[in-house]
PDB file of all heavy atoms in Angstrom:
ATOM      1  N   ALA L   7       3.374  15.770   4.716  1.00 85.00           N
ATOM      2  CA  ALA L   7       1.957  15.852   5.023  1.00 85.00           C
ATOM      3  C   ALA L   7       1.110  16.086   3.728  1.00 85.00           C
ATOM      4  O   ALA L   7       0.003  15.449   3.610  1.00 85.00           O
ATOM      5  CB  ALA L   7       1.786  17.101   5.945  1.00 85.00           C
ATOM      6  N   SER L   8       1.616  16.821   2.726  1.00 85.00           N
ATOM      7  CA  SER L   8       0.929  16.975   1.503  1.00 85.00           C
ATOM      8  C   SER L   8       0.861  15.619   0.819  1.00 85.00           C
ATOM      9  O   SER L   8      -0.232  15.375   0.235  1.00 85.00           O
ATOM     10  CB  SER L   8       1.559  18.001   0.604  1.00 85.00           C
ATOM     11  OG  SER L   8       0.898  18.086  -0.567  1.00 85.00           O
ATOM     12  N   GLU L   9       2.006  14.938   0.721  1.00 82.00           N
ATOM     13  CA  GLU L   9       1.960  13.664  -0.035  1.00 82.00           C
ATOM     14  C   GLU L   9       1.167  12.661   0.731  1.00 82.00           C
ATOM     15  O   GLU L   9       0.425  11.796  -0.054  1.00 82.00           O
ATOM     16  CB  GLU L   9       3.444  13.173  -0.114  1.00 82.00           C
ATOM     17  CG  GLU L   9       3.598  11.869  -0.878  1.00 82.00           C
ATOM     18  CD  GLU L   9       5.101  11.468  -0.943  1.00 82.00           C
ATOM     19  OE1 GLU L   9       5.940  12.206  -0.502  1.00 82.00           O
ATOM     20  OE2 GLU L   9       5.344  10.387  -1.541  1.00 82.00           O
ATOM     21  N   ALA L  10       1.008  12.568   1.961  1.00 85.00           N
ATOM     22  CA  ALA L  10       0.294  11.619   2.680  1.00 85.00           C
ATOM     23  C   ALA L  10      -1.224  11.945   2.732  1.00 85.00           C
ATOM     24  O   ALA L  10      -2.034  11.092   2.923  1.00 85.00           O
ATOM     25  CB  ALA L  10       0.836  11.403   4.143  1.00 85.00           C
ATOM     26  N   GLY L  11      -1.504  13.293   2.625  1.00 88.00           N
ATOM     27  CA  GLY L  11      -2.949  13.651   2.574  1.00 88.00           C
ATOM     28  C   GLY L  11      -3.576  13.816   3.977  1.00 88.00           C
ATOM     29  O   GLY L  11      -4.793  13.748   4.104  1.00 88.00           O
ATOM     30  N   VAL L  12      -2.701  14.207   4.999  1.00 90.00           N
ATOM     31  CA  VAL L  12      -3.219  14.427   6.339  1.00 90.00           C
ATOM     32  C   VAL L  12      -3.747  15.814   6.296  1.00 90.00           C
ATOM     33  O   VAL L  12      -3.587  16.631   5.486  1.00 90.00           O
ATOM     34  CB  VAL L  12      -2.187  14.328   7.444  1.00 90.00           C
ATOM     35  CG1 VAL L  12      -1.635  12.898   7.531  1.00 90.00           C
ATOM     36  CG2 VAL L  12      -1.021  15.175   7.193  1.00 90.00           C
ATOM     37  N   ASP L  13      -4.670  16.110   7.373  1.00 92.00           N
ATOM     38  CA  ASP L  13      -5.327  17.431   7.409  1.00 92.00           C
ATOM     39  C   ASP L  13      -4.444  18.438   7.992  1.00 92.00           C
ATOM     40  O   ASP L  13      -4.623  19.675   7.622  1.00 92.00           O
ATOM     41  CB  ASP L  13      -6.621  17.311   8.333  1.00 92.00           C
ATOM     42  CG  ASP L  13      -7.653  16.291   7.723  1.00 92.00           C
ATOM     43  OD1 ASP L  13      -7.935  16.433   6.514  1.00 92.00           O
ATOM     44  OD2 ASP L  13      -8.117  15.484   8.459  1.00 92.00           O
ATOM     45  N   ASP L  14      -3.483  18.124   8.926  1.00 91.00           N
ATOM     46  CA  ASP L  14      -2.624  19.099   9.498  1.00 91.00           C
ATOM     47  C   ASP L  14      -1.423  18.418   9.946  1.00 91.00           C
ATOM     48  O   ASP L  14      -1.213  17.144   9.890  1.00 91.00           O
ATOM     49  CB  ASP L  14      -3.331  19.749  10.701  1.00 91.00           C
ATOM     50  CG  ASP L  14      -2.752  21.108  11.144  1.00 91.00           C
ATOM     51  OD1 ASP L  14      -1.746  21.530  10.445  1.00 91.00           O
ATOM     52  OD2 ASP L  14      -3.225  21.707  12.074  1.00 91.00           O
ATOM     53  N   PHE L  15      -0.369  19.233  10.306  1.00 90.00           N
ATOM     54  CA  PHE L  15       0.927  18.585  10.872  1.00 90.00           C
ATOM     55  C   PHE L  15       1.441  19.449  11.972  1.00 90.00           C
ATOM     56  O   PHE L  15       1.202  20.638  12.037  1.00 90.00           O
ATOM     57  CB  PHE L  15       1.935  18.446   9.719  1.00 90.00           C
ATOM     58  CG  PHE L  15       2.475  19.740   9.117  1.00 90.00           C
ATOM     59  CD1 PHE L  15       3.549  20.364   9.627  1.00 90.00           C
ATOM     60  CD2 PHE L  15       1.849  20.277   8.022  1.00 90.00           C
ATOM     61  CE1 PHE L  15       4.001  21.596   9.118  1.00 90.00           C
ATOM     62  CE2 PHE L  15       2.203  21.381   7.456  1.00 90.00           C
ATOM     63  CZ  PHE L  15       3.385  22.111   8.030  1.00 90.00           C
ATOM     64  N   LEU L  16       2.266  18.855  12.789  1.00 88.00           N
ATOM     65  CA  LEU L  16       3.024  19.459  13.891  1.00 88.00           C
ATOM     66  C   LEU L  16       4.463  19.225  13.727  1.00 88.00           C
ATOM     67  O   LEU L  16       4.886  18.038  13.947  1.00 88.00           O
ATOM     68  CB  LEU L  16       2.407  18.914  15.231  1.00 88.00           C
ATOM     69  CG  LEU L  16       2.933  19.663  16.498  1.00 88.00           C
ATOM     70  CD1 LEU L  16       2.414  20.992  16.465  1.00 88.00           C
ATOM     71  CD2 LEU L  16       2.406  18.851  17.709  1.00 88.00           C
ATOM     72  N   ALA L  17       5.218  20.204  13.265  1.00 83.00           N
ATOM     73  CA  ALA L  17       6.609  20.006  12.915  1.00 83.00           C
ATOM     74  C   ALA L  17       7.535  20.269  14.121  1.00 83.00           C
ATOM     75  O   ALA L  17       7.131  20.933  15.135  1.00 83.00           O
ATOM     76  CB  ALA L  17       7.064  20.949  11.831  1.00 83.00           C
ATOM     77  N   GLN L  18       8.682  19.715  14.099  1.00 78.00           N
ATOM     78  CA  GLN L  18       9.708  19.847  15.140  1.00 78.00           C
ATOM     79  C   GLN L  18       9.024  19.616  16.523  1.00 78.00           C
ATOM     80  O   GLN L  18       9.354  20.354  17.499  1.00 78.00           O
ATOM     81  CB  GLN L  18      10.338  21.259  15.079  1.00 78.00           C
ATOM     82  CG  GLN L  18      11.147  21.512  13.811  1.00 78.00           C
ATOM     83  CD  GLN L  18      11.644  22.932  13.735  1.00 78.00           C
ATOM     84  OE1 GLN L  18      11.079  23.876  14.091  1.00 78.00           O
ATOM     85  NE2 GLN L  18      12.841  23.021  13.045  1.00 78.00           N
ATOM     86  N   ALA L  19       8.251  18.520  16.574  1.00 79.00           N
ATOM     87  CA  ALA L  19       7.528  18.338  17.816  1.00 79.00           C
ATOM     88  C   ALA L  19       8.453  17.521  18.763  1.00 79.00           C
ATOM     89  O   ALA L  19       8.902  16.545  18.474  1.00 79.00           O
ATOM     90  CB  ALA L  19       6.251  17.499  17.439  1.00 79.00           C
ATOM     91  N   THR L  20       8.448  18.046  20.045  1.00 78.00           N
ATOM     92  CA  THR L  20       9.005  17.389  21.028  1.00 78.00           C
ATOM     93  C   THR L  20       7.899  16.554  21.885  1.00 78.00           C
ATOM     94  O   THR L  20       6.824  16.691  21.618  1.00 78.00           O
ATOM     95  CB  THR L  20       9.631  18.341  22.058  1.00 78.00           C
ATOM     96  OG1 THR L  20       8.571  19.099  22.706  1.00 78.00           O
ATOM     97  CG2 THR L  20      10.647  19.222  21.474  1.00 78.00           C
ATOM     98  N   PRO L  21       8.397  15.575  22.704  1.00 81.00           N
ATOM     99  CA  PRO L  21       7.364  14.887  23.394  1.00 81.00           C
ATOM    100  C   PRO L  21       6.376  15.796  24.169  1.00 81.00           C
ATOM    101  O   PRO L  21       5.269  15.483  24.313  1.00 81.00           O
ATOM    102  CB  PRO L  21       8.252  14.003  24.353  1.00 81.00           C
ATOM    103  CG  PRO L  21       9.498  13.799  23.596  1.00 81.00           C
ATOM    104  CD  PRO L  21       9.786  15.129  22.893  1.00 81.00           C
ATOM    105  N   GLU L  22       6.981  16.838  24.726  1.00 83.00           N
ATOM    106  CA  GLU L  22       6.144  17.773  25.558  1.00 83.00           C
ATOM    107  C   GLU L  22       5.090  18.472  24.572  1.00 83.00           C
ATOM    108  O   GLU L  22       3.882  18.748  24.914  1.00 83.00           O
ATOM    109  CB  GLU L  22       7.013  18.877  26.180  1.00 83.00           C
ATOM    110  CG  GLU L  22       7.915  18.378  27.261  1.00 83.00           C
ATOM    111  CD  GLU L  22       9.139  17.683  26.775  1.00 83.00           C
ATOM    112  OE1 GLU L  22       9.431  17.776  25.521  1.00 83.00           O
ATOM    113  OE2 GLU L  22       9.769  17.037  27.617  1.00 83.00           O
ATOM    114  N   ASP L  23       5.491  18.831  23.246  1.00 85.00           N
ATOM    115  CA  ASP L  23       4.585  19.424  22.334  1.00 85.00           C
ATOM    116  C   ASP L  23       3.474  18.537  22.022  1.00 85.00           C
ATOM    117  O   ASP L  23       2.303  18.912  21.977  1.00 85.00           O
ATOM    118  CB  ASP L  23       5.307  19.729  21.065  1.00 85.00           C
ATOM    119  CG  ASP L  23       6.378  20.856  21.250  1.00 85.00           C
ATOM    120  OD1 ASP L  23       6.238  21.661  22.192  1.00 85.00           O
ATOM    121  OD2 ASP L  23       7.415  20.899  20.477  1.00 85.00           O
ATOM    122  N   LYS L  24       3.736  17.211  21.874  1.00 86.00           N
ATOM    123  CA  LYS L  24       2.703  16.195  21.533  1.00 86.00           C
ATOM    124  C   LYS L  24       1.653  16.167  22.708  1.00 86.00           C
ATOM    125  O   LYS L  24       0.444  16.073  22.489  1.00 86.00           O
ATOM    126  CB  LYS L  24       3.307  14.827  21.145  1.00 86.00           C
ATOM    127  CG  LYS L  24       4.242  14.799  19.991  1.00 86.00           C
ATOM    128  CD  LYS L  24       4.949  13.452  19.891  1.00 86.00           C
ATOM    129  CE  LYS L  24       5.978  13.390  18.887  1.00 86.00           C
ATOM    130  NZ  LYS L  24       6.707  12.188  18.694  1.00 86.00           N
ATOM    131  N   LEU L  25       2.284  16.086  23.877  1.00 87.00           N
ATOM    132  CA  LEU L  25       1.392  15.922  25.057  1.00 87.00           C
ATOM    133  C   LEU L  25       0.484  17.230  25.244  1.00 87.00           C
ATOM    134  O   LEU L  25      -0.715  17.051  25.542  1.00 87.00           O
ATOM    135  CB  LEU L  25       2.326  15.737  26.389  1.00 87.00           C
ATOM    136  CG  LEU L  25       1.636  15.175  27.540  1.00 87.00           C
ATOM    137  CD1 LEU L  25       1.089  13.804  27.326  1.00 87.00           C
ATOM    138  CD2 LEU L  25       2.753  15.042  28.687  1.00 87.00           C
ATOM    139  N   ALA L  26       1.110  18.345  25.042  1.00 88.00           N
ATOM    140  CA  ALA L  26       0.333  19.598  25.132  1.00 88.00           C
ATOM    141  C   ALA L  26      -0.752  19.705  24.132  1.00 88.00           C
ATOM    142  O   ALA L  26      -1.922  20.123  24.424  1.00 88.00           O
ATOM    143  CB  ALA L  26       1.248  20.770  25.056  1.00 88.00           C
ATOM    144  N   TYR L  27      -0.485  19.220  22.859  1.00 90.00           N
ATOM    145  CA  TYR L  27      -1.530  19.214  21.758  1.00 90.00           C
ATOM    146  C   TYR L  27      -2.638  18.339  22.198  1.00 90.00           C
ATOM    147  O   TYR L  27      -3.878  18.743  22.075  1.00 90.00           O
ATOM    148  CB  TYR L  27      -0.848  18.798  20.510  1.00 90.00           C
ATOM    149  CG  TYR L  27      -1.723  18.841  19.389  1.00 90.00           C
ATOM    150  CD1 TYR L  27      -1.813  20.053  18.552  1.00 90.00           C
ATOM    151  CD2 TYR L  27      -2.662  17.901  19.022  1.00 90.00           C
ATOM    152  CE1 TYR L  27      -2.589  20.165  17.408  1.00 90.00           C
ATOM    153  CE2 TYR L  27      -3.578  17.983  17.919  1.00 90.00           C
ATOM    154  CZ  TYR L  27      -3.450  19.127  17.099  1.00 90.00           C
ATOM    155  OH  TYR L  27      -4.318  19.247  16.116  1.00 90.00           O
ATOM    156  N   ILE L  28      -2.389  17.197  22.701  1.00 89.00           N
ATOM    157  CA  ILE L  28      -3.477  16.217  23.073  1.00 89.00           C
ATOM    158  C   ILE L  28      -4.217  16.681  24.230  1.00 89.00           C
ATOM    159  O   ILE L  28      -5.518  16.677  24.163  1.00 89.00           O
ATOM    160  CB  ILE L  28      -2.872  14.882  23.431  1.00 89.00           C
ATOM    161  CG1 ILE L  28      -2.207  14.194  22.150  1.00 89.00           C
ATOM    162  CG2 ILE L  28      -3.972  13.873  24.049  1.00 89.00           C
ATOM    163  CD1 ILE L  28      -1.573  12.770  22.422  1.00 89.00           C
ATOM    164  N   ARG L  29      -3.646  17.308  25.155  1.00 89.00           N
ATOM    165  CA  ARG L  29      -4.422  17.841  26.330  1.00 89.00           C
ATOM    166  C   ARG L  29      -5.276  18.958  25.958  1.00 89.00           C
ATOM    167  O   ARG L  29      -6.338  19.117  26.396  1.00 89.00           O
ATOM    168  CB  ARG L  29      -3.431  18.270  27.446  1.00 89.00           C
ATOM    169  CG  ARG L  29      -2.812  17.041  28.203  1.00 89.00           C
ATOM    170  CD  ARG L  29      -1.725  17.538  29.187  1.00 89.00           C
ATOM    171  NE  ARG L  29      -1.201  16.353  29.952  1.00 89.00           N
ATOM    172  CZ  ARG L  29      -0.146  16.411  30.758  1.00 89.00           C
ATOM    173  NH1 ARG L  29       0.525  17.572  30.838  1.00 89.00           N
ATOM    174  NH2 ARG L  29       0.290  15.396  31.390  1.00 89.00           N
ATOM    175  N   LYS L  30      -4.812  19.758  25.035  1.00 90.00           N
ATOM    176  CA  LYS L  30      -5.649  20.914  24.627  1.00 90.00           C
ATOM    177  C   LYS L  30      -6.832  20.503  23.803  1.00 90.00           C
ATOM    178  O   LYS L  30      -7.913  21.113  24.061  1.00 90.00           O
ATOM    179  CB  LYS L  30      -4.721  21.806  23.682  1.00 90.00           C
ATOM    180  CG  LYS L  30      -5.469  23.088  23.165  1.00 90.00           C
ATOM    181  CD  LYS L  30      -4.565  23.926  22.230  1.00 90.00           C
ATOM    182  CE  LYS L  30      -5.365  25.156  21.547  1.00 90.00           C
ATOM    183  NZ  LYS L  30      -4.485  25.920  20.765  1.00 90.00           N
ATOM    184  N   GLU L  31      -6.688  19.469  23.045  1.00 88.00           N
ATOM    185  CA  GLU L  31      -7.822  18.900  22.301  1.00 88.00           C
ATOM    186  C   GLU L  31      -8.770  18.277  23.228  1.00 88.00           C
ATOM    187  O   GLU L  31      -9.978  18.421  23.102  1.00 88.00           O
ATOM    188  CB  GLU L  31      -7.338  17.931  21.221  1.00 88.00           C
ATOM    189  CG  GLU L  31      -6.464  18.448  20.020  1.00 88.00           C
ATOM    190  CD  GLU L  31      -7.441  19.327  19.094  1.00 88.00           C
ATOM    191  OE1 GLU L  31      -8.285  18.747  18.522  1.00 88.00           O
ATOM    192  OE2 GLU L  31      -7.025  20.504  18.991  1.00 88.00           O
ATOM    193  N   GLN L  32      -8.389  17.477  24.242  1.00 86.00           N
ATOM    194  CA  GLN L  32      -9.240  16.925  25.139  1.00 86.00           C
ATOM    195  C   GLN L  32      -9.961  17.889  26.020  1.00 86.00           C
ATOM    196  O   GLN L  32     -11.088  17.712  26.361  1.00 86.00           O
ATOM    197  CB  GLN L  32      -8.348  15.978  26.008  1.00 86.00           C
ATOM    198  CG  GLN L  32      -7.898  14.784  25.353  1.00 86.00           C
ATOM    199  CD  GLN L  32      -6.975  13.902  26.149  1.00 86.00           C
ATOM    200  OE1 GLN L  32      -6.305  14.395  27.036  1.00 86.00           O
ATOM    201  NE2 GLN L  32      -6.945  12.564  25.908  1.00 86.00           N
ATOM    202  N   GLU L  33      -9.318  18.984  26.374  1.00 87.00           N
ATOM    203  CA  GLU L  33      -9.986  20.053  27.116  1.00 87.00           C
ATOM    204  C   GLU L  33     -11.178  20.592  26.339  1.00 87.00           C
ATOM    205  O   GLU L  33     -12.058  21.168  26.907  1.00 87.00           O
ATOM    206  CB  GLU L  33      -8.998  21.138  27.494  1.00 87.00           C
ATOM    207  CG  GLU L  33      -8.060  20.760  28.574  1.00 87.00           C
ATOM    208  CD  GLU L  33      -6.886  21.808  28.732  1.00 87.00           C
ATOM    209  OE1 GLU L  33      -6.912  22.875  28.164  1.00 87.00           O
ATOM    210  OE2 GLU L  33      -6.038  21.553  29.686  1.00 87.00           O
ATOM    211  N   GLY L  34     -11.041  20.585  24.980  1.00 86.00           N
ATOM    212  CA  GLY L  34     -12.152  20.993  24.157  1.00 86.00           C
ATOM    213  C   GLY L  34     -13.241  19.939  23.956  1.00 86.00           C
ATOM    214  O   GLY L  34     -14.160  20.198  23.132  1.00 86.00           O
ATOM    215  N   GLY L  35     -13.132  18.875  24.670  1.00 81.00           N
ATOM    216  CA  GLY L  35     -14.146  17.820  24.672  1.00 81.00           C
ATOM    217  C   GLY L  35     -14.013  16.808  23.575  1.00 81.00           C
ATOM    218  O   GLY L  35     -14.895  16.100  23.222  1.00 81.00           O
ATOM    219  N   ARG L  36     -12.792  16.724  22.925  1.00 84.00           N
ATOM    220  CA  ARG L  36     -12.629  15.808  21.836  1.00 84.00           C
ATOM    221  C   ARG L  36     -11.904  14.518  22.420  1.00 84.00           C
ATOM    222  O   ARG L  36     -11.172  14.551  23.400  1.00 84.00           O
ATOM    223  CB  ARG L  36     -11.771  16.410  20.736  1.00 84.00           C
ATOM    224  CG  ARG L  36     -12.327  17.645  20.014  1.00 84.00           C
ATOM    225  CD  ARG L  36     -11.495  18.246  19.038  1.00 84.00           C
ATOM    226  NE  ARG L  36     -11.963  19.355  18.450  1.00 84.00           N
ATOM    227  CZ  ARG L  36     -11.939  20.649  18.889  1.00 84.00           C
ATOM    228  NH1 ARG L  36     -11.220  20.856  20.011  1.00 84.00           N
ATOM    229  NH2 ARG L  36     -12.432  21.641  18.277  1.00 84.00           N
ATOM    230  N   LEU L  37     -12.301  13.421  21.673  1.00 86.00           N
ATOM    231  CA  LEU L  37     -11.530  12.198  22.061  1.00 86.00           C
ATOM    232  C   LEU L  37     -10.319  11.981  21.078  1.00 86.00           C
ATOM    233  O   LEU L  37     -10.632  12.109  19.803  1.00 86.00           O
ATOM    234  CB  LEU L  37     -12.510  10.999  21.905  1.00 86.00           C
ATOM    235  CG  LEU L  37     -13.458  10.769  23.041  1.00 86.00           C
ATOM    236  CD1 LEU L  37     -14.453   9.644  22.798  1.00 86.00           C
ATOM    237  CD2 LEU L  37     -12.826  10.636  24.377  1.00 86.00           C
ATOM    238  N   ILE L  38      -9.293  11.710  21.497  1.00 89.00           N
ATOM    239  CA  ILE L  38      -8.041  11.712  20.669  1.00 89.00           C
ATOM    240  C   ILE L  38      -7.431  10.274  20.638  1.00 89.00           C
ATOM    241  O   ILE L  38      -7.390   9.559  21.639  1.00 89.00           O
ATOM    242  CB  ILE L  38      -6.965  12.670  21.282  1.00 89.00           C
ATOM    243  CG1 ILE L  38      -7.513  14.018  21.571  1.00 89.00           C
ATOM    244  CG2 ILE L  38      -5.722  12.685  20.379  1.00 89.00           C
ATOM    245  CD1 ILE L  38      -8.122  14.712  20.362  1.00 89.00           C
ATOM    246  N   ALA L  39      -7.029   9.868  19.393  1.00 89.00           N
ATOM    247  CA  ALA L  39      -6.310   8.728  19.178  1.00 89.00           C
ATOM    248  C   ALA L  39      -4.928   9.123  18.769  1.00 89.00           C
ATOM    249  O   ALA L  39      -4.686  10.015  17.995  1.00 89.00           O
ATOM    250  CB  ALA L  39      -7.037   7.824  18.049  1.00 89.00           C
ATOM    251  N   MET L  40      -3.948   8.287  19.167  1.00 89.00           N
ATOM    252  CA  MET L  40      -2.567   8.568  18.862  1.00 89.00           C
ATOM    253  C   MET L  40      -1.980   7.258  18.310  1.00 89.00           C
ATOM    254  O   MET L  40      -2.030   6.232  19.055  1.00 89.00           O
ATOM    255  CB  MET L  40      -1.761   9.077  20.116  1.00 89.00           C
ATOM    256  CG  MET L  40      -0.302   9.098  19.979  1.00 89.00           C
ATOM    257  SD  MET L  40       0.357  10.432  18.873  1.00 89.00           S
ATOM    258  CE  MET L  40       2.020  10.084  18.828  1.00 89.00           C
ATOM    259  N   CYS L  41      -1.305   7.436  17.158  1.00 84.00           N
ATOM    260  CA  CYS L  41      -0.469   6.174  16.623  1.00 84.00           C
ATOM    261  C   CYS L  41       0.981   6.572  16.649  1.00 84.00           C
ATOM    262  O   CYS L  41       1.331   7.652  16.170  1.00 84.00           O
ATOM    263  CB  CYS L  41      -0.936   5.854  15.251  1.00 84.00           C
ATOM    264  SG  CYS L  41      -2.486   5.139  15.031  1.00 84.00           S
ATOM    265  N   GLY L  42       1.809   5.778  17.326  1.00 80.00           N
ATOM    266  CA  GLY L  42       3.184   6.003  17.438  1.00 80.00           C
ATOM    267  C   GLY L  42       4.002   4.823  17.565  1.00 80.00           C
ATOM    268  O   GLY L  42       3.442   3.677  17.816  1.00 80.00           O
ATOM    269  N   ASP L  43       5.373   4.908  17.479  1.00 75.00           N
ATOM    270  CA  ASP L  43       6.210   3.745  17.612  1.00 75.00           C
ATOM    271  C   ASP L  43       7.430   4.087  18.470  1.00 75.00           C
ATOM    272  O   ASP L  43       8.240   2.986  18.743  1.00 75.00           O
ATOM    273  CB  ASP L  43       6.562   3.231  16.299  1.00 75.00           C
ATOM    274  CG  ASP L  43       7.330   4.190  15.449  1.00 75.00           C
ATOM    275  OD1 ASP L  43       7.485   5.412  15.799  1.00 75.00           O
ATOM    276  OD2 ASP L  43       7.861   3.823  14.410  1.00 75.00           O
ATOM    277  N   GLY L  44       7.885   5.295  18.767  1.00 72.00           N
ATOM    278  CA  GLY L  44       9.108   5.571  19.465  1.00 72.00           C
ATOM    279  C   GLY L  44       8.908   5.826  20.908  1.00 72.00           C
ATOM    280  O   GLY L  44       7.797   6.166  21.396  1.00 72.00           O
ATOM    281  N   THR L  45      10.005   5.799  21.566  1.00 71.00           N
ATOM    282  CA  THR L  45      10.000   6.174  23.104  1.00 71.00           C
ATOM    283  C   THR L  45       9.530   7.669  23.225  1.00 71.00           C
ATOM    284  O   THR L  45       8.818   7.836  24.230  1.00 71.00           O
ATOM    285  CB  THR L  45      11.386   5.940  23.586  1.00 71.00           C
ATOM    286  OG1 THR L  45      11.774   4.669  23.436  1.00 71.00           O
ATOM    287  CG2 THR L  45      11.477   6.336  25.057  1.00 71.00           C
ATOM    288  N   ASN L  46       9.762   8.514  22.383  1.00 73.00           N
ATOM    289  CA  ASN L  46       9.362   9.879  22.463  1.00 73.00           C
ATOM    290  C   ASN L  46       7.897   9.947  22.184  1.00 73.00           C
ATOM    291  O   ASN L  46       7.265  11.021  22.524  1.00 73.00           O
ATOM    292  CB  ASN L  46      10.171  10.760  21.505  1.00 73.00           C
ATOM    293  CG  ASN L  46       9.867  10.443  20.003  1.00 73.00           C
ATOM    294  OD1 ASN L  46       9.474   9.408  19.678  1.00 73.00           O
ATOM    295  ND2 ASN L  46      10.120  11.368  19.163  1.00 73.00           N
ATOM    296  N   ASP L  47       7.190   9.018  21.741  1.00 80.00           N
ATOM    297  CA  ASP L  47       5.750   8.979  21.614  1.00 80.00           C
ATOM    298  C   ASP L  47       5.015   8.464  22.782  1.00 80.00           C
ATOM    299  O   ASP L  47       3.779   8.665  22.908  1.00 80.00           O
ATOM    300  CB  ASP L  47       5.307   8.041  20.338  1.00 80.00           C
ATOM    301  CG  ASP L  47       5.846   8.598  19.046  1.00 80.00           C
ATOM    302  OD1 ASP L  47       5.945   9.808  18.859  1.00 80.00           O
ATOM    303  OD2 ASP L  47       6.272   7.764  18.252  1.00 80.00           O
ATOM    304  N   ALA L  48       5.849   7.875  23.787  1.00 81.00           N
ATOM    305  CA  ALA L  48       5.186   7.158  24.859  1.00 81.00           C
ATOM    306  C   ALA L  48       4.207   8.089  25.743  1.00 81.00           C
ATOM    307  O   ALA L  48       3.113   7.750  26.045  1.00 81.00           O
ATOM    308  CB  ALA L  48       6.191   6.498  25.808  1.00 81.00           C
ATOM    309  N   PRO L  49       4.701   9.378  26.106  1.00 86.00           N
ATOM    310  CA  PRO L  49       3.756  10.175  26.854  1.00 86.00           C
ATOM    311  C   PRO L  49       2.513  10.484  26.141  1.00 86.00           C
ATOM    312  O   PRO L  49       1.482  10.527  26.834  1.00 86.00           O
ATOM    313  CB  PRO L  49       4.708  11.445  27.075  1.00 86.00           C
ATOM    314  CG  PRO L  49       6.112  10.971  26.917  1.00 86.00           C
ATOM    315  CD  PRO L  49       6.025   9.944  25.922  1.00 86.00           C
ATOM    316  N   ALA L  50       2.578  10.792  24.877  1.00 85.00           N
ATOM    317  CA  ALA L  50       1.359  11.073  24.056  1.00 85.00           C
ATOM    318  C   ALA L  50       0.540   9.821  24.006  1.00 85.00           C
ATOM    319  O   ALA L  50      -0.810   9.902  24.117  1.00 85.00           O
ATOM    320  CB  ALA L  50       1.719  11.485  22.686  1.00 85.00           C
ATOM    321  N   LEU L  51       1.053   8.663  23.868  1.00 87.00           N
ATOM    322  CA  LEU L  51       0.306   7.363  23.722  1.00 87.00           C
ATOM    323  C   LEU L  51      -0.466   7.273  25.049  1.00 87.00           C
ATOM    324  O   LEU L  51      -1.615   6.683  25.019  1.00 87.00           O
ATOM    325  CB  LEU L  51       1.221   6.250  23.475  1.00 87.00           C
ATOM    326  CG  LEU L  51       1.773   6.120  22.007  1.00 87.00           C
ATOM    327  CD1 LEU L  51       2.813   5.102  21.930  1.00 87.00           C
ATOM    328  CD2 LEU L  51       0.620   5.919  21.022  1.00 87.00           C
TER     329      LEU L  51
END
């Protein structure tokens, strides 16, 4: 995360963790974009 320059990171994230994070942000009125490539990213996408 430090090398890439992202603002934050979510470690040891399961598909459920990614989904919960997005839903929490959306409940706060934010629009969320997700970039992914694996089957475990499909629910979040």
Side-chain angles (χ1 to χ4, degrees):
S8 175
E9 186 178 353
V12 295
D13 297 314
D14 200 358
F15 66 88
L16 189 63
Q18 296 177 326
T20 64
E22 292 78 11
D23 293 334
K24 299 174 187 179
L25 198 59
Y27 186 93
I28 291 175
R29 286 174 175 168
K30 181 181 177 182
E31 293 289 300
Q32 289 173 331
E33 288 171 1
R36 298 178 181 86
L37 285 179
I38 308 300
M40 169 73 187
C41 289
D43 60 351
T45 299
N46 63 339
D47 297 321
L51 288 168

